[in-house]
Protein backbone atom coordinates (compact mmCIF):
# COMPACT_ATOMS: atom_id res chain seq x y z
CA UNK A 1 0.00 0.00 0.00
CA UNK A 2 1.39 3.45 -0.82
CA UNK A 3 2.11 5.64 2.18
CA UNK A 4 -0.67 8.19 2.63
CA UNK A 5 -0.37 11.79 1.42
CA UNK A 6 3.33 11.49 0.64
CA UNK A 7 4.24 10.52 4.20
CA UNK A 8 7.43 8.50 4.65
CA UNK A 9 9.59 7.23 7.52
CA UNK A 10 12.64 7.99 5.37
CA UNK A 11 14.98 10.79 6.31
CA UNK A 12 18.20 11.77 4.57
CA UNK A 13 20.20 14.37 6.44
CA UNK A 14 23.77 15.59 6.40
CA UNK A 15 24.90 13.23 9.19
CA UNK A 16 22.50 10.29 9.14
CA UNK A 17 19.89 8.65 6.94
CA UNK A 18 17.06 6.13 7.13
CA UNK A 19 15.71 4.52 3.95
CA UNK A 20 12.81 2.06 4.12
CA UNK A 21 11.86 -0.62 1.55
CA UNK A 22 8.95 1.59 0.42
CA UNK A 23 11.44 4.22 -0.74
CA UNK A 24 13.51 1.89 -2.94
CA UNK A 25 14.30 2.94 -6.50
CA UNK A 26 16.53 0.69 -8.58
CA UNK A 27 19.84 1.71 -10.10
CA UNK A 28 21.31 0.09 -13.17
CA UNK A 29 24.79 -1.08 -12.25
CA UNK A 30 27.42 -2.30 -14.70
CA UNK A 31 27.83 -6.07 -14.44
CA UNK A 32 24.48 -6.70 -12.72
CA UNK A 33 21.89 -8.56 -14.80
CA UNK A 34 18.61 -10.23 -13.88
CA UNK A 35 18.63 -8.42 -10.55
CA UNK A 36 17.58 -5.16 -8.98
CA UNK A 37 20.18 -2.99 -7.28
CA UNK A 38 19.31 -0.32 -4.72
CA UNK A 39 22.18 1.88 -3.54
CA UNK A 40 21.18 2.73 0.02
CA UNK A 41 24.33 4.42 1.30
CA UNK A 42 26.96 6.08 -0.88
CA UNK A 43 29.45 8.94 -1.21
CA UNK A 44 26.59 10.86 -2.89
CA UNK A 45 25.11 11.35 0.61
CA UNK A 46 28.47 12.07 2.25
CA UNK A 47 29.40 8.51 3.22
CA UNK A 48 32.80 6.87 2.71
CA UNK A 49 31.17 3.48 2.16
CA UNK A 50 28.61 2.18 -0.34
CA UNK A 51 25.83 -0.14 0.83
CA UNK A 52 23.86 -1.81 -1.94
CA UNK A 53 20.98 -4.27 -1.87
CA UNK A 54 20.93 -6.76 -4.77
CA UNK A 55 17.78 -8.87 -5.32
CA UNK A 56 18.15 -11.62 -7.91
CA UNK A 57 15.77 -13.33 -10.29
CA UNK A 58 16.67 -16.92 -11.13
CA UNK A 59 19.26 -16.68 -13.92
CA UNK A 60 20.49 -13.32 -12.61
CA UNK A 61 24.17 -12.59 -12.14
CA UNK A 62 26.65 -10.01 -10.89
CA UNK A 63 30.20 -9.53 -12.07
CA UNK A 64 32.40 -6.88 -10.46
CA UNK A 65 35.86 -6.21 -11.91
CA UNK A 66 39.00 -5.69 -9.85
CA UNK A 67 39.38 -2.13 -8.57
CA UNK A 68 40.33 0.01 -5.59
CA UNK A 69 37.24 -1.06 -3.66
CA UNK A 70 37.00 -4.09 -1.40
CA UNK A 71 33.61 -5.79 -1.09
CA UNK A 72 31.89 -7.58 1.75
CA UNK A 73 28.72 -9.45 0.71
CA UNK A 74 26.10 -11.01 3.01
CA UNK A 75 23.35 -13.33 1.75
CA UNK A 76 20.17 -12.22 3.52
CA UNK A 77 17.98 -14.89 1.94
CA UNK A 78 18.10 -17.45 -0.86
CA UNK A 79 21.46 -18.70 -2.03
CA UNK A 80 23.96 -18.36 -4.87
CA UNK A 81 27.44 -19.27 -6.03
CA UNK A 82 30.13 -16.64 -5.44
CA UNK A 83 33.55 -16.70 -7.07
CA UNK A 84 36.44 -14.49 -6.00
CA UNK A 85 39.40 -14.37 -8.37
CA UNK A 86 38.33 -17.78 -9.74
CA UNK A 87 37.76 -19.53 -6.37
CA UNK A 88 34.13 -20.33 -5.69
CA UNK A 89 31.67 -21.38 -3.00
CA UNK A 90 27.90 -21.81 -2.82
CA UNK A 91 26.51 -19.52 -0.10
CA UNK A 92 23.12 -19.84 1.56
CA UNK A 93 21.26 -17.38 3.79
CA UNK A 94 23.69 -16.23 6.45
CA UNK A 95 26.69 -16.89 4.19
CA UNK A 96 29.13 -14.09 3.51
CA UNK A 97 32.26 -13.28 1.49
CA UNK A 98 35.07 -10.76 1.52
CA UNK A 99 36.76 -9.76 -1.74
CA UNK A 100 39.93 -7.67 -1.31
CA UNK A 101 40.70 -4.60 -3.42
CA UNK A 102 42.39 -5.64 -6.65
CA UNK A 103 40.39 -8.87 -7.05
CA UNK A 104 37.30 -9.48 -9.16
CA UNK A 105 34.23 -11.34 -7.94
CA UNK A 106 31.08 -12.76 -9.48
CA UNK A 107 27.76 -14.17 -8.29
CA UNK A 108 25.85 -16.74 -10.33
CA UNK A 109 23.09 -19.36 -10.10
CA UNK A 110 21.01 -17.46 -7.52
CA UNK A 111 17.78 -18.88 -6.21
CA UNK A 112 14.89 -16.63 -7.21
CA UNK A 113 14.51 -13.81 -4.66
CA UNK A 114 18.05 -14.09 -3.28
CA UNK A 115 18.94 -10.85 -1.51
CA UNK A 116 22.54 -9.82 -0.92
CA UNK A 117 23.77 -6.74 0.96
CA UNK A 118 27.12 -5.37 -0.20
CA UNK A 119 29.42 -3.02 1.70
CA UNK A 120 32.11 -1.54 -0.54
CA UNK A 121 34.89 0.79 0.42
CA UNK A 122 38.25 1.88 -0.98
CA UNK A 123 40.96 -0.03 0.86
CA UNK A 124 43.33 2.02 3.06
CA UNK A 125 46.66 0.16 3.13
CA UNK A 126 48.74 0.17 6.31
CA UNK A 127 52.52 0.43 5.73
CA UNK A 128 54.22 -2.87 6.51
CA UNK A 129 50.96 -4.81 6.78
CA UNK A 130 49.88 -7.23 4.04
CA UNK A 131 46.41 -6.63 2.63
CA UNK A 132 43.77 -9.23 3.58
CA UNK A 133 42.99 -12.23 1.39
CA UNK A 134 39.59 -13.31 0.11
CA UNK A 135 37.41 -15.24 2.52
CA UNK A 136 34.06 -17.03 2.74
CA UNK A 137 32.08 -17.68 5.91
CA UNK A 138 28.73 -18.40 7.46
CA UNK A 139 27.22 -16.57 10.39
CA UNK A 140 26.10 -19.86 11.97
CA UNK A 141 29.79 -20.72 12.50
CA UNK A 142 30.69 -17.40 14.13
CA UNK A 143 30.51 -17.43 17.91
CA UNK A 144 28.59 -14.52 19.40
CA UNK A 145 29.29 -12.78 22.70
CA UNK A 146 27.16 -10.63 25.00
CA UNK A 147 27.89 -7.00 24.15
CA UNK A 148 29.70 -5.40 27.11
CA UNK A 149 28.44 -8.29 29.24
CA UNK A 150 24.73 -7.86 28.42
CA UNK A 151 23.13 -11.19 27.37
CA UNK A 152 20.18 -9.26 25.81
CA UNK A 153 22.53 -7.84 23.13
CA UNK A 154 24.58 -10.45 21.27
CA UNK A 155 27.40 -9.45 18.92
CA UNK A 156 28.96 -11.59 16.17
CA UNK A 157 32.09 -10.22 14.50
CA UNK A 158 32.19 -11.64 10.97
CA UNK A 159 35.62 -10.46 9.76
CA UNK A 160 38.93 -11.26 11.49
CA UNK A 161 39.97 -8.59 13.99
CA UNK A 162 43.38 -7.97 12.38
CA UNK A 163 45.24 -4.79 11.41
CA UNK A 164 45.09 -5.83 7.75
CA UNK A 165 41.33 -5.18 7.71
CA UNK A 166 40.22 -1.55 7.61
CA UNK A 167 36.56 -2.54 7.83
CA UNK A 168 34.49 -4.61 10.23
CA UNK A 169 31.08 -6.16 9.57
CA UNK A 170 29.12 -7.41 12.56
CA UNK A 171 25.75 -8.88 13.41
CA UNK A 172 23.86 -7.57 16.43
CA UNK A 173 20.89 -9.50 17.90
CA UNK A 174 18.78 -7.92 20.65
CA UNK A 175 16.13 -9.60 22.76
CA UNK A 176 12.91 -7.53 22.93
CA UNK A 177 13.74 -4.72 25.36
CA UNK A 178 17.49 -5.17 24.81
CA UNK A 179 19.33 -1.98 23.95
CA UNK A 180 22.72 -0.38 23.40
CA UNK A 181 24.04 0.31 26.89
CA UNK A 182 24.68 4.00 26.23
CA UNK A 183 24.45 6.63 23.50
CA UNK A 184 27.52 5.99 21.36
CA UNK A 185 29.44 8.88 19.81
CA UNK A 186 32.46 7.72 17.81
CA UNK A 187 34.70 8.47 14.87
CA UNK A 188 33.69 5.27 13.04
CA UNK A 189 31.01 5.42 10.37
CA UNK A 190 28.20 2.85 10.09
CA UNK A 191 26.08 1.45 7.27
CA UNK A 192 23.36 -0.85 8.61
CA UNK A 193 20.48 -3.01 7.47
CA UNK A 194 17.75 -4.36 9.77
CA UNK A 195 17.45 -8.13 9.14
CA UNK A 196 14.53 -8.92 11.43
CA UNK A 197 12.38 -7.53 14.20
CA UNK A 198 11.86 -3.90 15.06
CA UNK A 199 12.89 -1.20 17.45
CA UNK A 200 13.72 2.46 17.79
CA UNK A 201 16.99 4.01 16.59
CA UNK A 202 18.17 7.27 18.02
CA UNK A 203 20.26 9.12 15.41
CA UNK A 204 21.59 12.51 16.54
CA UNK A 205 18.57 14.31 18.03
CA UNK A 206 15.83 12.20 16.39
CA UNK A 207 14.24 8.87 17.31
CA UNK A 208 13.09 6.62 14.42
CA UNK A 209 10.94 3.47 14.49
CA UNK A 210 12.81 0.89 12.40
CA UNK A 211 12.05 -2.62 11.23
CA UNK A 212 13.32 -5.42 8.95
CA UNK A 213 14.44 -4.11 5.57
CA UNK A 214 15.29 -0.59 6.75
CA UNK A 215 18.76 0.78 5.99
CA UNK A 216 20.54 3.35 8.16
CA UNK A 217 23.64 5.45 7.60
CA UNK A 218 25.48 7.03 10.54
CA UNK A 219 28.28 9.48 9.77
CA UNK A 220 31.31 9.68 12.07
CA UNK A 221 30.28 11.11 15.46
CA UNK A 222 26.54 10.59 14.80
CA UNK A 223 25.09 10.04 18.30
CA UNK A 224 23.43 6.60 18.21
CA UNK A 225 21.36 4.35 20.43
CA UNK A 226 19.00 1.43 19.74
CA UNK A 227 16.29 -0.39 21.67
CA UNK A 228 14.57 -3.55 20.41
CA UNK A 229 10.79 -3.65 20.65
CA UNK A 230 8.05 -6.08 19.65
CA UNK A 231 7.77 -9.82 20.34
CA UNK A 232 10.75 -11.20 18.43
CA UNK A 233 14.47 -10.45 18.61
CA UNK A 234 15.72 -7.59 16.44
CA UNK A 235 18.81 -8.29 14.32
CA UNK A 236 20.93 -5.99 12.23
CA UNK A 237 24.02 -6.28 10.05
CA UNK A 238 26.36 -3.32 10.12
CA UNK A 239 29.61 -1.98 8.71
CA UNK A 240 32.21 0.10 10.49
CA UNK A 241 35.64 1.41 9.53
CA UNK A 242 38.36 0.19 11.90
CA UNK A 243 42.10 -0.17 12.51
CA UNK A 244 43.36 3.02 10.88
CA UNK A 245 44.88 6.12 12.52
CA UNK A 246 42.59 9.15 12.51
CA UNK A 247 45.20 11.34 10.77
O1 LIG B 1 30.18 -1.35 16.94
C1 LIG B 1 29.47 -0.38 17.20
O2 LIG B 1 29.91 0.78 17.16
C2 LIG B 1 28.00 -0.63 17.56
N1 LIG B 1 27.88 -0.83 18.98
N2 LIG B 1 27.16 0.47 17.10
C3 LIG B 1 25.84 0.32 16.83
O3 LIG B 1 25.29 -0.79 16.93
N3 LIG B 1 25.17 1.42 16.42
MN1 LIG C 1 28.40 2.33 16.87
Amino acid sequence: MPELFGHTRAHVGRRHALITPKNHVNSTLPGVTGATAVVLVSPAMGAQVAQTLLTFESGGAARFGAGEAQTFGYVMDGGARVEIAGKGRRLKAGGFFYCPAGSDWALSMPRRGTRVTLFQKKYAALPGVKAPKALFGDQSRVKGAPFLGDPAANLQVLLPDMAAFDMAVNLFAYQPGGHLPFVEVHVMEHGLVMLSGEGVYRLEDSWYPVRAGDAVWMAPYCAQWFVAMGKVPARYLYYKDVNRPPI
Side-chain angles (χ1 to χ4, degrees), residues 186-209:
H186 53 62
V187 66
M188 297 82 80
E189 176 180 33
H190 290 316
L192 178 158
V193 59
M194 292 292 299
L195 298 177
S196 58
E198 59 191 44
V200 172
Y201 233 108
R202 177 189 174 161
L203 301 168
E204 297 181 283
D205 294 331
S206 302
W207 279 254
Y208 298 92

Side-chain angles (χ1 to χ4, degrees), residues 147 170 172 174 180 184 186 188 190 192 201 218 224 236 238 240:
F147 184 60
N170 304 334
F172 233 135
Y174 298 80
L180 279 176
E184 295 183 2
H186 53 62
M188 297 82 80
H190 290 316
L192 178 158
Y201 233 108
M218 294 169 239
Q224 57 200 255
Y236 59 73
Y238 72 100
K240 94 197 234 189

Side-chain angles (χ1 to χ4, degrees), residues 12-15 41-49 189 217-220:
V12 180
R14 230 175 47 77
R15 313 272 315 141
V41 174
S42 77
M45 65 175 32
Q48 313 240 41
V49 63
E189 176 180 33
W217 169 60
M218 294 169 239

Side-chain angles (χ1 to χ4, degrees), residues 27-33 35-39 50 52-54 56 61-73 82-86 97 99-108 116-120:
S27 290
T28 50
L29 292 186
V32 177
T33 53
T36 59
V38 183
V39 182
T52 301
L53 174 67
L54 299 175
F56 292 89
R63 186 168 292 279
F64 285 73
E68 287 174 276
Q70 56 194 328
T71 300
F72 177 96
V82 174
E83 264 186 33
I84 304 173
F97 67 91
C99 173
S103 292
D104 58 284
W105 67 272
L107 182 150
S108 60
V116 179
T117 283
L118 304 179
F119 295 111
Q120 294 174 294

